[in-house]
Amino acid sequence: MKPETDSEADPIFDTTYDMVVVSNRLPVDYVGGDGADTRWKVSPGGLVTALEPVMRANEGAWVGWAGVADREFDPFEHDGISIVPVPLSEDELEEYYEGFSNDTLWPLYHDVIAPPSFHREWWDAYVRVNRRFAETAARVAAPGAVVWVQDYQLQLVPRMLRESRPDLVIGFFNHIPFPAYGIYSQLPWRRQVIDGLLGADVIGFQRAADAGNFSRAVRRLFGYKTRGTVLEVPGADGEMRHVVARHFPISIDAAAFEELARTPEVQQRAREIRRSLGDPEVVMLGVDRLDYTKGIRHRMKAFGELLRDERLSVQQATLVQVASPSRERVETYRQLRDEIELMVGRLNGDHAALGHPAITYLHHGYPRQEMAALYLAADVMLVTALRDGMNLVAKEYVASRYDDDGVLLLSEFTGASDELRQAVLVNPHDIEGLKDAMVEAVNMPPRERARRMRALRRRVIENDVANWSATFLETLTGVGKIPGGVSDALRGAVSRLAQTPRLLVALDFDGTLAPLVDRPEDARATDRARAAIERMSEHEDTRVALVSGRALDSLKEVASPPSPRC
Ligand SMILES: O=P(O)(O)OC[C@H]1O[C@H](O[C@H]2O[C@H](CO)[C@@H](O)[C@H](O)[C@H]2O)[C@H](O)[C@@H](O)[C@@H]1O
Ligand SMILES: O=c1ccn([C@@H]2O[C@H](COP(=O)(O)OP(=O)(O)O)[C@@H](O)[C@H]2O)c(=O)[nH]1
C-alpha cells in the first residue's frame, strides 16, 4: 500500500496509510542517543517476529511504544518500515504496561498461573493509554484504511476507533490465550473489555478454544447471539453488525529461518557451540523470555532429577537455557529470576563436572542468527510452557532443521501443539511424565526423529506467517486484499460501467460479500457489503444478483437479500 500525503492532517502526521498496525511494542526499542545518533535495538518477543515480515510486505505504518518512558519521537522510518511512536510517561509505564497489562491481564489470561492484581488506578491508566493509541492510529489511517490492532494491551482500541472513524476496517488479534469464562469473569472490567473488542470487524485468536471462550463470554455478559464464528452485535444505529471471532494460528517466516540456518556462518557457529559445551552426546535447549508462563522451573526440576537418579549424565546430555530478560520491574518476574538462578546454581553445583556443565544459563537476548545456530546445535528442543498463546520458538526450531533431525518436546498447553502433533507432547505439570519424555527424546532413533521432523516441517512451511496474515486480512476485507488502494484504472472502469443505462451486477457471496468462515451456515455479508447492495438495489435500472454454488435456500438464509428484485 502506498502512503498518501494528506494536506489537511497534523503536520507531524502528514502522511496517511491504507494499512496501519497498532501494537504496544514497536519492532525496535530505544537504546540511547539523540537526533541522528539515536540508537535502536530489535524488541523482544514473538509478536514483533511475526509482524515484521507482514509490515515489510505492506508498506503500512506501525503505531506503537518505543520501549522507553518520558521520551517523545517523531514518526520515522526504520529498515523500510514507517514507525509512528506513541509516548508513555513513567507513571503510565508502571500502571498501564507493568500493572494492568502484565500484572492483571497477563496472569489472568494465562489461567492464573500467578495471581492477578486488580487496581482501579491501573484500569484508569489502561483506558487513557488505549485512547492515545486509538487517536494516533486514527490520525495516520487514510479514509477506509485497514487498521489491525494487536494484543491484550490494546483491547479497548477497536471500539474507540469505530466511534471516531466509522469508515475504517478494524481487525484485532489476540496473541495470548483467552481464558475460560470462570477465570475471565474475575475481571472487574469484564464488560468494558469485551465491548472494546467488539468494536472490531474480525477478532482473531491463536486457538479455536480461545475463540470459543471469547464467544461464550460475549453470550454470558451481553446475551448477543453467536452462530459459530459469527457474533451478532448491535451497532450504534440500531443495525446488527456481524463480527467474526475465530482462530488464525500465527507463524514465522519459515523460509527465511531455513535460509539462515543453511548459511556456512550459522553452521560453523553451531559446531562451535557444541564444542564449547564439551561435545556432549546430546545438547538440550530451552529458549524463552524469562516468564513464569514458560515452565522453565518445571523443565529444570525434571532434568535435575534425571541427573540425580543417573538416568542421564552430564557427559551424555547438557542443557542450554536462554532466558531473555523480560518485564524486569514486575515483582513476579523478579522473584522468578531469583528462583531460577538459585536452581541453576544448585543443579550445576550438584551435578556438573569440569568441562561438562549440567546447565548453561544465559540471561541475554540474542540476534536471530545466533538463535538459528543454537537451534542447529540442539538435538532436543524443550518447550514446556504452562500456558502460551503460540510459542514461535517451537516453530523456529522446526524451520531451522532442514537436515530433518532434532526432537521437539512440546507442551500441550502451547498454541503450537494444536498444529505440531508429531512433537513429543508433554504435560509439564507431570514431572514424571516430563522426565520420561526427556529420556525418550534423548534416546529417539534417527529414523523416528527424521519421520517426525519431516511431518513437523511440512506443517510449519505450509502455514507460515505470510499465510497467517493473508488469511486474517482476507477474512477482514472479504476480498483477499486490502481495500482503500483502488487503482485509478479500476475506479475509471467502475465509473464507465455505472453509466450503462441498464446494469446487472452479479456478485459472488462466500469470500466476496461474506468472509470465509468455518461453517458455511455461519457466513454473513459484511456490513459494508450489505449497505452497498442496498444502495445499488434502490436504482431503478440496476439489478443485483448473487452468484453462488450454494442451494438457493441456503443462499437466501445466509444472504437475506434486501428486496425480491435481488
Ligand atoms: O512486549 P513484552 O512485554 O516485552 O513481551 C513480549 C511479547 O510477549 C508476548 O508474545 C506473544 O506473542 C507471540 C506471537 O503471537 C506468541 O507466540 C506468544 O505465545 C505470546 O506470548 C505478548 O503477547 C506480546 O504482546 C509481547 O510483545
Ligand atoms: O534471545 C532471544 C530469545 C528469543 N528471541 C525471539 O523471541 C521470539 C519469542 O517468541 P515466542 O512466541 O516463542 O514467545 P514470546 O516471547 O512472544 O512469549 C522468537 O521469535 C525468538 O526467536 C530472540 O530473538 N532472541
Side-chain angles (χ1 to χ4, degrees):
M1 295 284 107
K2 282 270 169 284
E4 291 164 8
T5 299
D6 176 356
S7 51
E8 284 177 23
D10 185 327
I12 299 224
F13 301 99
D14 60 354
T15 306
T16 59
Y17 298 82
D18 290 329
M19 162 123 181
V20 177
V21 159
V22 192
S23 66
N24 173 62
R25 250 188 212 287
L26 285 169
V28 280
D29 277 348
Y30 174 77
V31 178
D34 278 308
D37 295 330
T38 310
R39 295 185 308 283
W40 300 93
K41 71 167 173 24
V42 175
S43 306
L47 180 149
V48 164
T49 308
L51 280 168
E52 242 189 326
V54 177
M55 289 308 282
R56 277 185 215 296
N58 276 300
E59 283 187 40
W62 193 328
V63 172
W65 168 58
V68 60
D70 291 330
R71 282 290 308 248
E72 297 215 11
F73 302 94
D74 287 343
F76 62 99
E77 185 154 324
H78 180 88
D79 215 2
I81 301 179
S82 299
I83 304 277
V84 182
V86 178
L88 291 186
S89 69
E90 184 57 40
D91 283 353
E92 286 167 345
L93 185 62
E94 273 177 36
E95 295 181 346
Y96 146 78
Y97 172 70
E98 292 166 348
F100 198 77
S101 297
N102 289 328
D103 208 11
T104 304
L105 293 173
W106 181 268
L108 186 75
Y109 282 30
H110 286 88
D111 286 356
V112 295
I113 296 168
S117 309
F118 301 110
H119 296 293
R120 283 162 286 182
E121 58 281 19
W122 289 2
W123 165 253
D124 294 341
Y126 186 77
V127 176
R128 203 167 55 245
V129 171
N130 270 245
R131 189 163 301 288
R132 187 172 312 140
F133 274 81
E135 284 167 1
T136 310
R139 260 184 262 168
V140 297
V146 169
V147 180
W148 193 4
V149 184
Q150 310 290 325
D151 231 355
Y152 62 101
Q153 303 93 343
L154 301 175
Q155 294 173 102
L156 308 180
V157 171
R159 168 71 62 204
M160 290 171 172
L161 270 178
R162 179 161 297 281
E163 280 168 5
S164 66
R165 290 284 307 272
D167 61 302
L168 299 176
V169 179
I170 304 167
F172 180 91
F173 188 78
N174 196 51
H175 291 255
I176 65 174
F178 195 90
Y181 186 70
I183 290 177
Y184 178 74
S185 57
Q186 292 177 22
L187 185 66
W189 306 276
R190 58 197 184 188
R191 279 179 65 89
Q192 291 95 314
V193 167
I194 297 267
D195 184 57
L197 290 168
L198 289 175
D201 297 293
V202 175
I203 307 170
F205 297 91
Q206 302 275 28
R207 307 175 95 163
D210 300 323
N213 287 343
F214 175 75
S215 296
R216 271 187 289 281
V218 170
R219 285 198 297 274
R220 294 287 293 268
L221 291 170
F222 290 89
Y224 296 159
K225 265 202 209 145
T226 63
R227 277 206 214 97
T229 52
V230 181
L231 320 180
E232 291 188 359
V233 179
D237 49 7
E239 287 276 293
M240 270 308 166
R241 292 175 50 235
H242 291 123
V243 173
V244 173
R246 58 160 293 183
H247 65 295
F248 301 86
I250 204 166
S251 194
I252 55 163
D253 187 344
F257 244 98
E258 171 165 350
E259 202 180 310
L260 192 58
R262 283 182 183 275
T263 59
E265 296 78 13
V266 166
Q267 290 177 26
Q268 170 63 20
R269 178 69 191 134
R271 284 191 290 274
E272 273 169 32
I273 290 171
R274 289 190 75 96
R275 213 171 309 127
S276 70
L277 295 168
D279 271 325
E281 282 167 40
V282 176
V283 174
M284 301 205 269
L285 174 67
V287 176
D288 311 84
R289 269 183 314 97
L290 188 37
D291 194 307
Y292 52 83
T293 57
K294 302 287 182 180
I296 303 172
R297 277 177 302 200
H298 294 63
R299 126 186 16 150
M300 290 193 337
K301 185 173 172 60
F303 183 53
E305 288 188 15
L306 288 173
L307 292 174
R308 183 198 64 195
D309 300 344
E310 297 182 5
R311 290 177 71 189
L312 291 178
S313 72
V314 289
Q315 287 75 16
Q316 184 189 12
T318 193
L319 171 61
V320 176
Q321 177 63 55
V322 175
S324 50
S326 182
R327 307 171 190 168
E328 294 194 285
R329 301 192 321 182
V330 179
E331 187 49 33
T332 337
Y333 287 75
R334 285 178 197 263
Q335 278 175 17
L336 176 72
R337 182 172 176 193
D338 288 346
E339 284 169 29
I340 286 190
E341 293 181 356
L342 184 68
M343 275 183 97
V344 169
R346 288 215 173 127
L347 221 98
N348 272 332
D350 288 346
H351 304 294
L354 283 176
H356 295 287
I359 171 161
T360 302
Y361 169 78
L362 303 159
H363 185 243
H364 300 295
Y366 291 98
R368 213 156 286 169
Q369 183 151 350
E370 183 73 357
M371 299 290 297
L374 281 163
Y375 294 145
L376 272 190
D379 304 290
V380 178
M381 180 82 214
L382 300 176
V383 178
T384 57
L386 306 177
R387 249 292 162 237
D388 210 336
M390 178 52 63
N391 196 288
L392 295 183
V393 159
K395 293 189 170 181
E396 290 171 1
Y397 179 64
V398 168
S400 306
R401 299 312 302 242
Y402 64 89
D403 56 354
D404 288 341
D405 204 356
V407 180
L408 174 64
L409 185 146
L410 182 62
S411 160
E412 290 163 23
F413 302 110
T414 60
S417 70
D418 273 11
E419 297 170 87
L420 304 182
R421 305 304 296 172
Q422 300 296 323
V424 176
L425 294 172
V426 292
N427 169 4
H429 297 283
D430 170 10
I431 298 293
E432 286 306 321
L434 185 52
K435 284 158 63 181
D436 291 346
M438 281 178 168
V439 172
E440 180 194 341
V442 165
N443 295 320
M444 190 178 283
R447 278 170 68 101
E448 174 74 357
R449 296 202 295 259
R451 186 187 64 76
R452 287 178 184 248
M453 185 53 80
R454 273 197 299 273
L456 290 170
R457 287 178 57 72
R458 268 198 300 278
R459 193 62 208 238
V460 171
I461 291 164
E462 235 164 56
N463 181 34
D464 68 355
V465 72
N467 191 50
W468 168 73
S469 59
T471 313
F472 185 93
L473 291 170
E474 270 170 36
T475 307
L476 184 58
T477 62
V479 290
K481 71 180 175 64
I482 300 152
V486 178
S487 69
D488 291 346
L490 183 56
R491 208 184 294 277
V494 171
S495 310
R496 280 195 299 283
L497 260 182
Q499 284 157 24
T500 312
R502 296 193 67 207
L503 192 61
L504 169 68
V505 182
L507 296 160
D508 177 35
F509 183 73
D510 293 287
T512 302
L513 298 174
L516 293 173
V517 289
D518 292 340
R519 300 189 323 165
E521 63 269 32
D522 295 331
R524 293 293 179 276
T526 63
D527 300 324
R528 300 167 126 222
R530 289 180 60 81
I533 292 174
E534 272 166 24
R535 279 202 306 279
M536 284 190 289
S537 313
E538 283 160 11
H539 289 280
E540 195 49 30
D541 289 318
T542 300
R543 291 280 184 277
V544 182
L546 301 186
V547 181
S548 171
R550 284 173 181 262
L552 192 57
D553 281 349
S554 154
L555 185 63
K556 275 189 184 153
E557 166 74 24
V558 294
S560 43
S563 84
R565 292 199 304 148
C566 193

